[in-house]
């Protein structure tokens, strides 16, 4: 049997006395798009950051492609990996943040080739060719020489997506990728994400874009106060939610 791309079993996370994740169980199969929905402060972004060990879990188990995230198991005990080992595993997981986090002193092309050349050891000529192809894919083939300050927010976010794809990840994480954009710029970013989904990329997306979740998602997961309240087919969860808390949330955002 092939392991799920993401498997969370009783994942817990606390910051001081505040328990942000209270036992998350979640499975994302290969090629699926999982959309995490819920109010601010529900734990969605924290869970996403746990998937690539930007946050360390305090309980439970979390695996990506069958491997523990941030730990190795010896007998019944878990031992945290060294930062270098974590970084090596993180190469396979692309992440796109709310804020684009581009290097302001680098062009779009230079932003995209930075990780393949510095982290993966790809030659600059090969990385440059790949970067041009990726920028073309996200509709920015004519913006390769532009600096972030010369690009709109939507264009910067698409460069950020190309940058994440440059490492050829097996899994893509999106943390509210359109929340910082003007409404008229959202569509271009969502179109890129739709194409990724159509190409079979496994994606976990924290989003408030209900239409995207309904149209593209294979699973919709509604979270609140650190727990999964409801999960299932997006058409079912969004049209006929079983839980009152889900209904109350959707009544305010639809």
């Amino acid at each position: 049997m092939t392991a799920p791309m993401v498997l969370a079993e009783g994942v817990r996370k606390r910051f001081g006395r505040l328990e942000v994740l209270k036992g998350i169980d979640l499975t994302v199969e290969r090629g699926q798009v999982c959309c995490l929905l819920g109010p601010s402060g529900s734990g969605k972004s924290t869970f996403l950051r746990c998937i690539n060990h930007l946050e360390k879990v305090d309980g439970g188990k979390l695996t990506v492609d069958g491997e523990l995230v941030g730990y190795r198991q010896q007998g019944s005990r878990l031992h945290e990996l060294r930062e270098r080992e974590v970084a090596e595993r993180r190469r396979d997981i692309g992440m796109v943040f709310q804020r684009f986090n581009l290097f302001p002193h680098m062009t779009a092309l230079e932003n995209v080739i930075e990780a393949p050349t510095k982290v993966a050891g790809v030659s600059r000529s090969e990385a440059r060719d790949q970067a041009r192809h990726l920028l073309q894919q996200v509709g920015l083939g004519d913006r390769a020489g532009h600096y972030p300050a010369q690009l709109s927010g939507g264009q910067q976010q698409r460069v950020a997506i190309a940058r994440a794809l440059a490492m050829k990840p097996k899994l893509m994480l999106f943390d509210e990728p359109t929340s910082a954009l003007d409404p008229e710029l959202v569509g271009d970013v969502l179109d890129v994400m739709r194409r990724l989904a159509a190409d079979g990329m496994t994606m976990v997306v924290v989003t408030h874009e209900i239409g995207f979740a309904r149209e593209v998602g294979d699973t919709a997961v509604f979270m609140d106060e650190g727990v999964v309240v409801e999960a299932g087919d997006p058409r079912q969860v969004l049209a006929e939610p079983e839980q009152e808390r889900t209904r109350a949330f959707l009544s305010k955002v639809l």
Side-chain angles (χ1 to χ4, degrees), residues 177-178 185-195 207 209 212:
T178 60
L185 302 178
V186 169
D188 290 337
V189 174
L190 293 181
D191 284 344
V192 171
M193 295 171 65
R194 288 186 184 96
R195 290 197 292 274
T207 184
E209 300 290 341
F212 175 85

Side-chain angles (χ1 to χ4, degrees), residues 148-163:
Q150 299 172 308
L151 302 172
S152 71
Q155 289 170 334
Q156 290 184 62
Q157 192 62 294
R158 284 183 281 156
V159 173
I161 293 173
R163 179 179 61 181

Side-chain angles (χ1 to χ4, degrees), residues 203-222:
M203 299 159 58
V204 183
V205 185
V206 173
T207 184
H208 293 293
E209 300 290 341
I210 303 299
F212 175 85
R214 182 188 295 112
E215 174 192 351
V216 181
D218 296 291
T219 306
V221 178
F222 176 69

